[in-house]
Amino acid sequence: MVWTWDDIEREWLRGARIAYTPDEALAAFNLVEHTLGREWMKTHNTIGNVTEIWGAGPTATIVRMGLRLASLEGLAGAEELIRRILRKDVSAFAELTTIHLLRRDRPSVTVELGPDVTVGGGPRKPDLRVREGARGPWTYVEVTQPDTSEAEERVQTVMNRVTAPISEIRKPFAVEIFLRREPTDAEVEAIVRDIRAVCSADGVVRMELPDGLGLVLLNQTEPGSVVLDDHGEPHVPRLGRAQAIGGGSEPHRHIAVRMAYSDERAERFLGREARQLPTDAPGLIVIQMGRAPGGFKSWEPAIRQRFQPTIHTRVSAVCLLGGGSVATPEGEKQLPQTKLLVNPHAAFQLPRWITDTLTKAGEEYERYTRPPPEG
């Protein structure tokens, strides 16, 4: 099938607006279908192959994928990267995004996937290497994405244990457990007892948990409306989960758990990924931060502390990579977020064109997401 703009408007947008031109959207939709197939596209506008979803979000997702796939044109070995994308390999998506960022405004950039290098007498295989033009010096790039952290697994465990009361207490309510730190097993059991007592009450309740652990808040919002409020507490990285019950004869109620956490994976990632880089050329580590909530703030100081004269000198820079959907005057758009951390002690500095490209890549995202000035 060859997509038309009418097809996209009728089947995907349905009155919504995206900040891409019709020509951009058409080229992207046709390239995605040709490369990944119609079934892959359907996973972004259906839930469980049954319920259709549409609007700016799913449409912008397809356009963004098409723009990234266009960056693979003429790239040897791209077929294997595409196969990994079809297998839903999250690191493949991060590699594709990195290639796109480095090539989208510089078509003269040469990219090689999986080059063979020797490090410390042994073979290594960075994810890719890049250079400007056909004869420029190579820069080696290692791309990675954190797995779900222990902290995320822990908050899910806590969530599973404290949600039992919402099925036991058959009345409408909205309860939030706001934790300033990770609770012990004994504290989780105490929280469960407190939830049962609080949810049996009427009206609005705010209860302080023992030992400064956090708060239990009842009916601060309507059942089903989860509002991210720090309740006057310092702004720190937090993980959250929510669960609701309702429908039929069931009273509408929900429980939300938010827990402050400290992500200590930054140093481990830096050490592990650096070992893939050669010692005789610039080296860049790109870390996709989608599974490291709050990482743009918490990882930066940890990584900068590891930039020292005698360690990690093969790492020229680390680029934190994120992004997502933003609202623009023209409609919804998916944009990258980047933060480049340059190593002042590196044996080789990044070429200026890479520094400029990655710094510029996130400027549009920052422009649309930067908080308005106070006053």
Side-chain angles (χ1 to χ4, degrees), residues 162-171 173 175 195 199 243-245 250 253-255:
V162 302
T163 51
I166 71 170
S167 60
E168 299 170 1
I169 303 172
R170 296 177 59 82
K171 58 177 289 190
F173 61 80
V175 64
I195 292 171
C199 292
Q243 183 173 327
I245 292 180
E250 287 284 354
R253 56 220 193 261
H254 83 251
I255 185 170

Side-chain angles (χ1 to χ4, degrees), residues 98-283:
T98 300
I99 294 167
H100 174 61
L101 293 180
L102 293 171
R103 296 192 84 186
R104 64 177 184 173
D105 295 327
R106 295 177 181 269
S108 62
V109 168
T110 301
V111 177
E112 288 188 6
L113 297 175
D116 294 312
V117 300
T118 300
V119 180
R124 293 288 187 270
K125 205 175 189 69
D127 291 311
L128 53 104
R129 64 179 183 175
V130 296
R131 66 182 178 186
E132 192 172 33
R135 294 184 174 84
W138 289 108
T139 294
Y140 292 80
V141 184
E142 184 69 11
V143 184
T144 187
Q145 174 161 312
D147 294 325
T148 301
S149 71
E150 293 177 2
E152 290 178 276
E153 293 174 354
R154 175 60 174 166
V155 78
Q156 183 60 58
T157 300
V158 172
M159 182 70 182
N160 292 340
R161 293 174 67 182
V162 302
T163 51
I166 71 170
S167 60
E168 299 170 1
I169 303 172
R170 296 177 59 82
K171 58 177 289 190
F173 61 80
V175 64
E176 178 183 0
I177 298 89
F178 183 85
L179 302 175
R180 301 185 181 103
R181 57 174 172 81
E182 183 179 332
T184 65
D185 288 343
E187 287 173 329
V188 171
E189 293 305 316
I191 291 171
V192 172
R193 291 194 297 270
D194 290 335
I195 292 171
R196 289 195 175 98
V198 168
C199 292
S200 298
D202 295 319
V204 177
V205 176
R206 178 186 176 108
M207 185 180 75
E208 185 79 26
L209 293 169
D211 300 321
L213 177 59
L215 304 167
V216 177
L217 304 116
L218 179 69
N219 297 332
Q220 302 281 330
T221 64
E222 293 295 320
S225 175
V226 179
V227 178
L228 300 183
D229 185 347
D230 286 340
H231 307 293
E233 302 283 335
H235 181 71
V236 299
R238 303 184 194 279
L239 295 170
R241 295 289 188 273
Q243 183 173 327
I245 292 180
S249 62
E250 287 284 354
H252 198 178
R253 56 220 193 261
H254 83 251
I255 185 170
V257 178
R258 296 175 65 208
M259 183 179 80
Y261 83 109
S262 175
D263 195 331
E264 299 176 350
R265 292 175 292 171
E267 293 185 19
R268 298 200 303 271
F269 262 80
L270 186 59
R272 187 185 73 188
E273 303 303 326
R275 289 193 289 270
Q276 298 297 320
L277 299 173
T279 58
D280 58 354

